[in-house]
Structures are given as C-alpha cells and as structure tokens.
Amino acid sequence: MNLKKIALSAVMQEQKQETVSLREIAYRAEKESAFQIKSDNTALTWFLLVINAVILLLMLFLEKKEEWIFLFGTQKYAVFELGQYYRLITCCFLHTDIMHFVQNGIYLYFFGTRTELLYGKIKMGIIYIISALGGSIFSAVCNDVISVGASGAIFGLIGAVLVYSRQNGKRNVGIHYTTIVLLVAIGLFAGLFQENVDYFGHIGGFVAGLISSFAVLKIKSDPQ
C-alpha cells in the first residue's frame, strides 16, 4: 500500500512549508478582506453610545426625565418662536426610557460602526450632526409635540451606509444596498402604526444622511 512512503512524503512536505504566526494570519486576512476599513477602531460610535447612556441614567436617577425633556427636547414653538435652536441638537441625546435607548442603541451600533469604518471618524461625525439637525428640523416643522431621541441621526447613518453600498457594492459593507432599502422602508412604514414614534424625524434624518453622505464622499479622504 506504500503507506510508509506516503507518510514520509507528507512529513517532508510539511517541513518545507513556511511557519506563520497567528498575528501574520490575522494581518493577511485583513489585507484580503472585502470590508475596506478607514480606521482601526470604532471609538466614535462607542462614545455616542456611552454619552446617550450616561444622560439617560442621570435623568432616571436624578428624577429629571420630564424636566429635561421639556427643557431640551425639540418643539416647534420653542425652536422657531423662542429661538431655542440648541434643542435641535440636545434632543438627540435624550431618550424617554431604557427600552427607547436600547432600540436606538442597537441600530446606532450596527450602522454607526459601519459608517465609521467606511467613512472615517471625521466624516461620520459630520454625517451624524447633519442628520441629527435634519431630523430635528423636519420634526419641529411637522410636529407640535416635544420630540427626543437619536433615531433621526441614526436614520442618517443608515442612509450613509446605503450610499456607500450603492456606489461600492455589497462586498464593501457586508450588507447589500437593497437590504438596507428594505430595512428603511420597514422602519418608516412601521412608524406609521406605532404611538410616540417621530415619523417625520426619521424621514428628515434619512434624507439629510443621504445628502451629506454624497457630499463627504466627494471630499478627499484624510489619513486616519
């Protein structure tokens, strides 16, 4: 059966192979990965998650939830009549309860990390702020109630991943743009049948995210 000869041949062949460390394997995998990254971490996404969580905990422990929502939530009269424009940003860091934060936090992590890796921290920050403002402004224009939450900015991040996926393909973002479109459609449609959902804030943030993403993609990338 020539088993001895086959075994000796296999041993000799193994000895000729290059010994590769786990670090080298990881490096090669990163080089061959279709997910082209712009930075080596997602610190900005985690920073946003922590800030939102800390503010929510302070609201609950200090029993200031209603007061802070009233003082810092976005609302048509307060913004456009009283000139309290800071509400357009502060409202994006407030949440009504833990479940509200958890729901937004899951989407912020999923699309925030992707946006940060694809665009870089500076461009993601620009997209996030513009999306937050777009969602807050559209919400204030179309609603009379006080609105809070990061969902407008998050829908902007979804728009950013959609734009990148549409231009570069599924292999670059790990999710196809048609899937993202479906997620957006479901999210917006579901908002029509749920109470206390800022439907207009979602639309405004998503549109602002699309526009700002197209704009920042035209900017020459800075080294990370």
Side-chain angles (χ1 to χ4, degrees):
M1 298 281 295
N2 294 322
L3 294 180
K4 183 178 180 180
K5 183 178 179 180
I6 294 173
L8 289 173
S9 177
V11 171
M12 294 299 294
Q13 184 66 27
E14 182 68 22
Q15 291 178 345
K16 293 179 181 180
Q17 293 181 352
E18 178 186 3
T19 301
V20 182
S21 66
L22 291 176
R23 184 181 295 274
E24 180 66 19
I25 293 173
Y27 174 75
R28 291 180 180 180
E30 180 181 349
K31 293 285 288 183
E32 296 173 358
S33 173
F35 193 87
Q36 303 297 323
I37 65 174
K38 296 285 186 177
S39 59
D40 58 357
N41 60 66
T42 54
L44 179 56
T45 300
W46 282 105
F47 174 77
L48 292 170
L49 285 168
V50 170
I51 289 296
N52 279 278
V54 169
I55 292 176
L56 175 62
L57 291 176
L58 287 175
M59 289 171 58
L60 297 178
F61 284 123
L62 298 177
E63 298 182 351
K64 297 286 187 179
K65 186 179 77 171
E66 289 78 11
E67 180 180 347
W68 286 13
I69 290 177
F70 180 77
L71 291 175
F72 301 109
T74 188
Q75 197 269 339
K76 180 186 296 185
Y77 179 80
V79 172
F80 299 115
E81 298 296 330
L82 301 180
Q84 297 175 353
Y85 300 109
Y86 60 86
R87 291 174 177 265
L88 299 174
I89 288 294
T90 56
C91 71
C92 301
F93 293 93
L94 301 176
H95 291 84
T96 57
D97 52 40
I98 294 178
M99 184 55 64
H100 186 200
F101 166 75
V102 170
Q103 291 174 340
N104 279 344
I106 292 173
Y107 281 94
L108 175 55
Y109 175 78
F110 187 83
F111 289 101
T113 52
R114 279 165 170 74
T115 305
E116 187 170 355
L117 293 173
L118 293 170
Y119 288 81
K121 291 174 175 53
I122 295 177
K123 291 181 179 179
M124 176 196 168
I126 294 173
I127 294 171
Y128 191 87
I129 292 174
I130 293 176
S131 300
L133 288 172
S136 298
I137 292 173
F138 199 56
S139 174
V141 170
C142 299
N143 289 321
D144 290 322
V145 299
I146 296 178
S147 179
V148 296
S151 55
I154 294 170
F155 264 86
L157 297 181
I158 298 175
V161 177
L162 175 64
V163 169
Y164 199 99
S165 176
R166 183 65 182 86
Q167 294 192 359
N168 297 277
K170 174 183 177 180
R171 287 173 55 82
N172 291 80
V173 300
I175 182 172
H176 200 276
Y177 71 90
T178 53
T179 304
I180 304 175
V181 171
L182 181 61
L183 289 174
V184 172
I186 293 174
L188 294 177
F189 185 74
L192 292 173
F193 303 96
Q194 295 178 341
E195 295 183 357
N196 301 322
V197 173
D198 190 356
Y199 180 78
F200 296 105
H202 294 175
I203 296 176
F206 180 67
V207 173
L210 291 177
I211 296 173
S212 58
S213 298
F214 276 114
V216 300
L217 281 178
K218 296 182 181 297
I219 301 174
K220 184 177 180 180
S221 297
D222 297 324
Q224 298 297 317

